[in-house]
Structures are given as structure tokens and as C-alpha cells.
């Protein structure tokens, strides 16, 4: 797809969009959102204020919203008896009197935990050593020891990272580690996004917890959910509205060739659209439609991978696990397998699983992680017997094994196999490497 074709497609879509918009106004119904009417584009500080206010919610059972948020983040935090402090736009003046900026959100319980929340929902740029400076402030103020500092990096879509100096500082402290592909993860770092985490958390976890008598709180959460759905391009009405435009792209974008060729075409169009000068509703709408289309195409590729994984661990009379989760974004996939009964900071799975990895490589990497303290020596020996090789990344404990697919199953790539062979490969790998970990190793940690 050359540049002339890309620009022509974009202009053609804009023309089509304008013609069809009016006919959909009545179909979408009348929407009245107080936040949208009064605030328009809400600034990042206001989003932080709303999140912090919700996390402050406390009833006779304790800080139930905060506890649920901590669980979603995977942090090893137990709230002790007593008050938790919630600071917004907290100044970070150093011992020398230098102003090191303001922390968007700071939640702490003295000597127990301190959670730094940095909000980038509106794509604000990273300041130099930003999170590193916030960590310095917490340590200088003697709020908690350095192994009880946690970081939530909150973005709109989950594709942004902190600045490099802050990442290095967090890696040195064991807060996070960095994969070869640049993805940041770790026992005390949560790469949180509104599209993948906050919106679903509000809809599925928080709103159902609110008593009906709390009418204003209920209404506020419903309004904020509606606002976020519109902002992120995923409201029910907007999704109906987008279906026709999604079909237009499918019919007009040349998606000939194999799977990778289709994704290259879609991404070329997406990238060209993203850098266009005009920053209006049409551009935003087209970007959202393309993102949905790309995710839909890639989900088709991963369907067998995800289905077999779920069935293997959670089906049968005596399933290996009660609950597990899978996370992905765009063409970058990682499958984290974790049971809610396990200690926090223990998981294993495939990491990473990008389309290039699935299409071009003759091997996939299966990883076992136990963050923080080293596992017992006897466990390390058992992992070596299974075939895992130890790798130390920023004070976290990781064992990785390269799973060879062999010449007897397809052309050596996962996408090159038939569905039957994909299923066989995954089940064999799980049986050989995952079952021993679940049955014999994790109980000893």
C-alpha cells in the first residue's frame, strides 16, 4: 500500500463518514452526560481526583475499593488496621528545598506501603526522572522502606512507558523489570490503562459493590463510565455506530495475502492516520475504528491459543486452576497464568507473543516467575530438572525455557500449524512444563 493510496483511502473515509453521520444521530439516541457537558475534555488531574476519591471509599469492611484495586494490580499489600492516607497533587520538595514536582496520586499507610499513581490519560509527556524523583521524596520522608514502594503508571491505552531514567531506578529497586521487547512489568509496578483495566474495573467490580441506597455514588459512577466509554470509543451506541465504518475499511482496504501482510497494511494505514496534522473528531473516530479492526483481526489469530490455554487449566473434574487471566494489547500478547490461591508475585506463561514471534520464529519462550525473594534451593533444582534456565532480572526471579516445536508439526511456526497441531503443541507444552510447576513447585514456595 503506497502513500498515495493511503492518503486517498483516508480522504475517502472522511467523505463517507460525513455523509453517514447524520443518519445515525437518531439511532444512537439522546445522550446527556454531566461531565461531558460541563467539562468537555477532562484534564488528567481531574481523572486522578475521581479515581482517588473512589479509592477512599470505606465501609464497615474497610477500604473495599482500594483493596480491589490492589488485587487488580497484583501488589503484595495487606492493609493494616488504621487510616490510609490519600494525597492528590502531593508536593515533593527534597531535603535541600528543591521542588521535585507533584505526585498525581499518593496512597500510603505508614511503614506498610506507598503507592505512587502517575496519570497520563491525556498523553502528557514524561518529565525527566519523574517517577524516580517521586520515589526519592517518599524515601527521604521516611514514609515506608524502599521495598514497600509501589508504582501505578496509568495511561489511556497501555502503550506508553515511564522515562528511561525512572525505569532504571525502578529496576535497581526491584520494582519492575524490562523485557527484551521493551515491555515493563514487575512485582511492584502496574502498567495500568483506562481501556484495559479501569473501565472494566468500574463496570464489573466497583459499580456492583455500591449499595443501592448510595444513589449519588451510583449515579456518579454510571456517568463516569459513560464518559470513559465515549472517550475511549467503546460505548455501546458508539460501537453500533462504528460497525458500518468498520465494514467500510474491511471492504476498501486491500487486505490480500497472508495474515502478516494484512496486518502490515492495517498498521501502515493506522500510522499514517496517526501523524496527520488535523486533530479533529473525524481523525479520532477513524483511529478508533482501525484499532478495533486490527484487534479483531489479531484476536482471530490468537483464538486457538487462548481457548486451549483456558480449557487445559480450568476444565475437567479436577482443574489445575480455579481462575486465571489473559492480557493483550494490539499485536503484542502475553499470557500470564495465575491462580487466585497462589501467593502474589508468582505466575508463569508465554511472554512475549507478538505476531512476528508467532509467524517467524521456530521457538516460543515459556517463563516461570517468582518475584522478590529467591525460591528455595530445592525448588531451583526441580526447575532445572524440568528444563528451565535461571535468569535474574532486576531482583526478580525468572526461569525461562525455549519450547521447540520441531520439524514434525507444520513449518516450524505456530501460525503455520493446523488448528489440530496448534492444540497438540500447546497441550504437550503445558503438560510437560506447567503441570509440574503447579503440582510440585508452587506449593513449596
Amino acid at each position: 500500500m503506497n502513500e498515495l493510496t493511503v492518503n486517498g483511502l483516508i480522504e475517502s473515509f472522511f467523505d463517507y463518514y460525513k455523509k453517514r453521520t447524520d443518519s445515525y444521530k437518531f439511532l444512537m439516541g439522546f445522550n446527556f452526560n454531566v461531565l461531558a457537558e460541563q467539562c468537555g475534555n477532562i484534564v488528567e488531574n481531574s481523572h486522578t481526583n475521581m479515581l482517588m476519591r473512589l479509592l477512599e471509599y470505606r465501609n464497615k469492611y474497610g477500604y473495599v475499593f482500594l483493596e480491589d484495586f490492589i488485587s487488580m494490580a497484583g501488589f503484595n499489600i495487606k492493609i493494616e488496621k488504621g487510616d490510609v492516607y490519600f494525597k492528590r497533587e502531593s508536593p515533593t520538595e527534597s531535603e535541600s528545598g528543591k521542588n521535585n514536582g507533584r505526585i498525581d496520586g499518593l496512597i500510603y499507610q505508614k511503614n506498610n506501603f506507598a503507592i505512587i499513581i502517575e496519570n497520563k490519560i491525556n498523553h502528557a509527556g514524561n518529565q525527566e526522572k519523574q517517577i524516580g524523583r517521586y520515589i526519592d521524596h517518599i524515601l527521604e520522608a521516611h514514609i515506608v522502606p524502599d521495598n514497600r514502594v509501589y508504582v501505578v503508571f496509568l495511561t489511556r491505552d497501555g502503550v506508553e512507558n515511564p522515562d528511561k531514567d525512572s525505569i532504571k531506578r525502578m529496576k535497581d529497586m526491584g520494582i519492575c523489570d524490562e523485557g527484551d521487547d521493551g515491555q515493563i512489568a514487575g512485582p511492584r509496578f502496574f502498567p495500568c490503562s483506562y481501556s484495559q483495566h479501569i473501565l472494566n474495573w468500574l463496570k464489573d467490580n466497583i459499580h456492583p459493590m455500591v449499595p443501592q441506597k448510595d444513589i449519588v455514588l451510583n449515579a456518579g459512577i454510571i456517568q463516569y463510565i459513560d464518559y470513559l466509554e465515549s472517550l475511549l470509543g467503546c460505548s455501546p451506541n458508539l460501537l453500533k455506530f462504528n460497525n458500518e465504518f468498520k465494514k467500510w475499511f474491511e471492504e476498501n482496504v486491500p487486505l490480500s495475502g497472508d495474515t502478516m501482510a494484512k496486518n502490515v497494511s492495517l498498521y501502515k494505514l493506522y500510522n499514517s492516520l496517526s501523524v496527520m496534522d488535523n486533530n479533529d473528531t473525524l481523525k479520532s473516530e477513524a483511529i478508533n475504528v482501525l484499532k478495533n479492526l486490527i484487534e479483531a483481526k489479531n484476536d482471530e489469530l490468537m483464538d486457538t491459543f487462548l481457548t486451549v490455554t483456558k480449557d487445559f487449566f480450568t476444565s475437567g473434574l479436577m482443574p489445575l486452576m480455579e481462575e486465571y487471566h489473559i492480557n493483550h494489547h494490539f499485536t503484542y500478547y502475553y499470557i500470564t497464568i495465575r491462580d487466585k490461591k497462589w501467593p502474589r508475585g508468582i505466575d508463569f506463561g508465554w511472554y512475549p507473543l507478538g505476531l512476528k514471534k508467532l509467524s517467524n520464529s521456530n521457538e516460543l519462550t515459556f517463563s516461570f516467575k517468582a518475584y522478590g525473594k529467591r525460591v528455595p534451593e530445592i525448588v531451583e533444582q526441580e526447575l532445572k530438572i524440568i528444563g528451565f534456565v535461571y535468569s535474574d532480572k532486576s531482583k526478580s526471579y525468572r526461569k525461562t525455557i525455549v519450547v521447540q516445536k520441531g520439524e514434525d508439526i507444520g513449518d516450524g511456526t505456530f501460525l503455520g500449524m493446523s488448528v489440530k497441531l496448534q492444540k497438540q503443541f500447546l497441550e504437550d507444552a503445558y503438560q510437560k512444563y506447567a503441570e509440574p510447576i503447579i503440582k510440585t513447585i508452587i506449593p513449596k514456595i
Side-chain angles (χ1 to χ4, degrees), residues 315-342:
S315 298
L317 295 176
M318 298 183 65
L320 288 170
M321 297 173 58
E322 293 182 4
E323 182 179 310
Y324 83 124
H325 66 272
I326 293 175
N327 205 351
H328 69 275
H329 183 75
F330 260 17
T331 58
Y332 178 83
Y333 286 83
Y334 55 98
I335 295 184
T336 303
I337 303 167
R338 175 187 291 167
D339 193 291
K340 63 182 181 181
K341 298 183 299 183
W342 299 349

Side-chain angles (χ1 to χ4, degrees), residues 64-255:
V64 290
F65 290 179
L66 176 59
E67 288 176 346
D68 202 73
F69 184 80
I70 288 171
S71 177
M72 177 174 66
F75 292 157
N76 186 17
I77 294 174
K78 181 180 179 181
I79 300 176
E80 306 291 349
K81 290 183 179 180
D83 291 332
V84 175
Y85 297 93
F86 299 80
K87 305 290 185 181
R88 310 174 195 181
E89 285 294 290
S90 179
T92 58
E93 189 173 282
S94 67
E95 291 177 340
S96 63
K98 182 180 178 182
N99 184 358
N100 281 326
R102 292 177 179 270
I103 304 175
D104 289 342
L106 175 60
I107 306 170
Y108 69 91
Q109 195 170 46
K110 188 74 172 176
N111 295 321
N112 185 12
F113 69 87
I115 301 174
I116 297 168
I117 297 179
E118 176 59 27
N119 198 329
K120 303 287 187 185
I121 186 173
N122 290 337
H123 310 295
N126 286 315
Q127 301 171 30
E128 185 180 5
K129 301 180 180 179
Q130 187 173 21
I131 293 176
R133 287 186 276 112
Y134 298 163
I135 293 172
D136 289 339
H137 166 73
I138 289 170
L139 298 182
E140 288 178 4
H142 305 290
I143 295 174
V144 292
D146 59 3
N147 65 343
R148 300 302 294 169
V149 177
Y150 300 80
V151 176
V152 175
F153 193 72
L154 186 52
T155 62
R156 181 175 299 197
D157 299 314
V159 294
E160 300 170 60
N161 285 329
D163 64 276
K164 291 183 178 179
D165 288 328
S166 291
I167 292 173
K168 184 179 184 304
R169 178 66 191 282
M170 290 190 292
K171 287 169 65 177
D172 290 342
M173 292 179 63
I175 292 174
C176 71
D177 58 20
E178 184 175 8
D180 295 336
D181 50 10
Q183 290 293 315
I184 312 299
R188 291 185 282 135
F189 179 82
F190 180 33
C192 185
S193 78
Y194 279 88
S195 60
Q196 297 179 59
H197 304 105
I198 297 297
L199 183 57
N200 290 332
W201 175 68
L202 289 172
K203 290 195 295 186
D204 300 336
N205 295 44
I206 298 307
H207 187 240
M209 267 199 272
V210 179
Q212 289 301 308
K213 66 179 181 179
D214 292 335
I215 299 174
V216 176
L217 177 57
N218 265 300
I221 292 175
I222 291 171
Q223 286 276 300
Y224 190 43
I225 288 172
D226 179 71
Y227 181 88
L228 285 178
E229 286 179 335
S230 296
L231 177 69
L232 301 171
C234 59
S235 69
N237 281 336
L238 203 55
L239 290 176
K240 292 178 184 177
F241 185 59
N242 283 347
N243 279 340
E244 182 169 338
F245 303 118
K246 184 177 175 182
K247 289 179 182 177
W248 184 92
F249 274 109
E250 290 178 322
E251 292 171 358
N252 289 275
V253 177
L255 295 178

Side-chain angles (χ1 to χ4, degrees), residues 161-433:
N161 285 329
D163 64 276
K164 291 183 178 179
D165 288 328
S166 291
I167 292 173
K168 184 179 184 304
R169 178 66 191 282
M170 290 190 292
K171 287 169 65 177
D172 290 342
M173 292 179 63
I175 292 174
C176 71
D177 58 20
E178 184 175 8
D180 295 336
D181 50 10
Q183 290 293 315
I184 312 299
R188 291 185 282 135
F189 179 82
F190 180 33
C192 185
S193 78
Y194 279 88
S195 60
Q196 297 179 59
H197 304 105
I198 297 297
L199 183 57
N200 290 332
W201 175 68
L202 289 172
K203 290 195 295 186
D204 300 336
N205 295 44
I206 298 307
H207 187 240
M209 267 199 272
V210 179
Q212 289 301 308
K213 66 179 181 179
D214 292 335
I215 299 174
V216 176
L217 177 57
N218 265 300
I221 292 175
I222 291 171
Q223 286 276 300
Y224 190 43
I225 288 172
D226 179 71
Y227 181 88
L228 285 178
E229 286 179 335
S230 296
L231 177 69
L232 301 171
C234 59
S235 69
N237 281 336
L238 203 55
L239 290 176
K240 292 178 184 177
F241 185 59
N242 283 347
N243 279 340
E244 182 169 338
F245 303 118
K246 184 177 175 182
K247 289 179 182 177
W248 184 92
F249 274 109
E250 290 178 322
E251 292 171 358
N252 289 275
V253 177
L255 295 178
S256 59
D258 61 16
T259 301
M260 284 302 294
K262 293 177 183 179
N263 278 275
V264 167
S265 295
L266 287 171
Y267 262 95
K268 191 165 187 178
L269 183 59
Y270 173 81
N271 291 332
S272 298
L273 186 58
S274 299
V275 298
M276 285 181 64
D277 292 334
N278 58 313
N279 188 21
D280 55 17
T281 304
L282 287 178
K283 174 183 173 181
S284 176
E285 182 64 36
I287 287 176
N288 280 330
V289 171
L290 269 176
K291 283 168 65 176
N292 290 336
L293 181 57
I294 291 170
E295 285 189 342
K297 294 295 181 187
N298 294 331
D299 281 345
E300 292 172 9
L301 301 177
M302 295 299 295
D303 185 60
T304 301
F305 213 119
L306 307 184
T307 301
V308 172
T309 300
K310 179 180 179 181
D311 289 346
F312 185 88
F313 291 102
T314 62
S315 298
L317 295 176
M318 298 183 65
L320 288 170
M321 297 173 58
E322 293 182 4
E323 182 179 310
Y324 83 124
H325 66 272
I326 293 175
N327 205 351
H328 69 275
H329 183 75
F330 260 17
T331 58
Y332 178 83
Y333 286 83
Y334 55 98
I335 295 184
T336 303
I337 303 167
R338 175 187 291 167
D339 193 291
K340 63 182 181 181
K341 298 183 299 183
W342 299 349
R344 296 186 190 278
I346 293 179
D347 57 53
F348 62 92
W350 304 98
Y351 185 91
L353 280 176
L355 285 178
K356 289 183 179 178
K357 188 83 170 178
L358 293 172
S359 298
N360 300 331
S361 176
N362 190 43
E363 56 194 30
L364 295 174
T365 302
F366 196 69
S367 171
F368 170 72
K369 303 177 189 176
Y371 296 109
K373 293 183 179 179
R374 285 254 184 162
V375 298
E377 188 173 338
I378 186 172
V379 172
E380 186 170 340
Q381 293 300 319
E382 289 177 357
L383 285 167
K384 288 180 179 178
I385 292 171
I386 297 173
F388 284 82
V389 178
Y390 172 69
S391 173
D392 187 4
K393 292 202 174 186
S394 305
K395 300 182 182 178
S396 69
Y397 184 84
R398 183 195 302 247
K399 289 276 186 173
T400 61
I401 187 166
V402 174
V403 183
Q404 299 284 347
K405 289 184 289 299
E407 298 178 358
D408 57 330
I409 45 176
D411 65 359
T413 72
F414 185 81
L415 291 180
M417 302 179 198
S418 66
V419 173
K420 181 179 179 180
L421 289 176
Q422 287 179 345
K423 184 173 184 292
Q424 175 193 322
F425 162 70
L426 290 172
E427 289 180 343
D428 288 348
Y430 293 142
Q431 189 171 22
K432 184 175 181 180
Y433 303 114

